[in-house]
Amino acid sequence: GESVGLHLPTLSVQEGDNSIINCAYSNSASDYFIWYKQESGKGPQFIIDIRSNMDKRQGQRVTVLLNKTVKHLSLQIAATQPGDSAVYFCAENSMEYGNKLVFGAGTILRVKS
Amino acid sequence: DSGVTQTPKHLITATGQRVTLRCSPRSGDLSVYWYQQSLDQGLQFLIHYYNGEERAKGNILERFSAQQFPDLHSELNLSSLELGDSALYFCASSVGAMSSYEQYFGPGTRLTVT
């Protein structure tokens, strides 16, 4: 069925440490993946995306890794800051889903100062 | 600020009523997507319009309908409201017709059905 990271875990990290948020996706045919950040009371905000022909993509302080063998996606945040505290969602796209994004349940990131 | 606007920000209404949520996409974006976010269901795709035409449907109830107008703004109509329809409703926009483009989300409309 359509499922991406159904659980909603919480990750607590110390300010300045690196954070790694994981996501398991279910559709091996998915060809596009996105990470979104959602702060309380706001809409999801695009962080970074990656296509299935890549294994790694870097942005500003963020890196997304894609392991298609085990259908796993991760988001690494370097030098985590209090402003990074939010819920992080991964999403996948596949034509099998009918040209739509399927979102995971999300991971709560709490940054301790 | 994503450039996507949604009105109203909050809406409180009674069961059985009908409401209309409005979305204006970013300048230049032709696609509009609607999502529902509830505590028990997460972020669920409802429907996608591209340049006025429906492109994809998700878990949208028959009581719900949407349209995209020539000026590209979109409206989501929710009728015969039930308590379970209480949720955050987000609109997102993107430049292309395929969902494999970066989508920019609006601030959402919080609907409370009493």
Side-chain angles (χ1 to χ4, degrees), chain A residues 8-10 17 19 32 39 46 73 83 85 88 99 104 111:
Chain A
L8 189 64
T10 299
D17 288 350
S19 302
Y32 178 65
E39 297 174 272
F46 174 89
L73 195 66
S85 293
Y88 289 80
N99 189 32
V111 182

Side-chain angles (χ1 to χ4, degrees), chain A residues 31-32 34 36 38 41-44 46 49 51 89 93 95 98-101 103, chain B residues 9 35 37 43 45 48 56-58 90 97-103 105-107:
Chain A
D31 56 5
Y32 178 65
I34 311 179
Y36 281 92
Q38 187 175 22
K42 297 185 178 181
F46 174 89
D49 59 2
R51 297 198 181 269
F89 295 96
N93 174 80
M95 290 311 296
N99 189 32
K100 63 181 182 183
L101 287 178
F103 283 78
Chain B
K9 191 170 177 61
Y35 293 88
Q37 187 176 40
L43 199 61
F45 166 75
H48 168 205
K57 248 181 178 177
F90 289 104
M98 303 302 290
S99 59
S100 55
Y101 284 91
E102 183 177 332
Q103 295 182 24
F105 281 75

Side-chain angles (χ1 to χ4, degrees), chain A residues 25 27 30-35 48-52 66 68 73 91-93:
Chain A
Y25 64 94
N27 192 340
S30 290
D31 56 5
Y32 178 65
F33 305 86
I34 311 179
W35 280 100
I48 192 168
D49 59 2
I50 188 168
R51 297 198 181 269
S52 58
L66 175 63
K68 295 181 287 293
L73 195 66
E92 63 178 309
N93 174 80

Side-chain angles (χ1 to χ4, degrees), chain A residues 3-77:
Chain A
S3 62
V4 177
L6 290 175
H7 304 289
L8 189 64
T10 299
L11 176 65
S12 292
V13 299
Q14 197 67 37
E15 180 180 0
D17 288 350
N18 296 334
S19 302
I20 300 177
I21 301 171
N22 297 305
C23 174
Y25 64 94
S26 60
N27 192 340
S28 57
S30 290
D31 56 5
Y32 178 65
F33 305 86
I34 311 179
W35 280 100
Y36 281 92
K37 170 188 179 183
Q38 187 175 22
E39 297 174 272
S40 182
K42 297 185 178 181
Q45 176 188 355
F46 174 89
I47 302 174
I48 192 168
D49 59 2
I50 188 168
R51 297 198 181 269
S52 58
N53 60 352
M54 301 174 69
D55 298 321
K56 178 180 180 179
R57 190 157 187 233
Q58 289 185 291
Q60 187 177 14
R61 273 202 314 120
V62 294
T63 300
V64 56
L65 298 177
L66 175 63
N67 185 332
K68 295 181 287 293
T69 302
V70 294
K71 293 186 289 187
H72 184 268
L73 195 66
S74 68
L75 176 70
Q76 300 178 358
I77 304 174

Side-chain angles (χ1 to χ4, degrees), chain B residues 21-65:
Chain B
L21 313 183
R22 182 188 170 102
C23 168
S24 292
R26 292 188 321 153
S27 176
D29 285 357
L30 298 179
S31 271
V32 169
Y33 305 80
W34 285 98
Y35 293 88
Q36 180 192 59
Q37 187 176 40
S38 59
L39 287 176
D40 59 345
Q41 293 285 331
L43 199 61
Q44 298 284 323
F45 166 75
L46 295 177
I47 198 163
H48 168 205
Y49 278 85
Y50 174 76
N51 204 21
E53 294 188 3
E54 182 185 304
R55 288 298 297 246
K57 248 181 178 177
N59 302 318
I60 188 166
L61 300 171
E62 286 190 10
R63 300 183 286 110
F64 295 1
S65 64

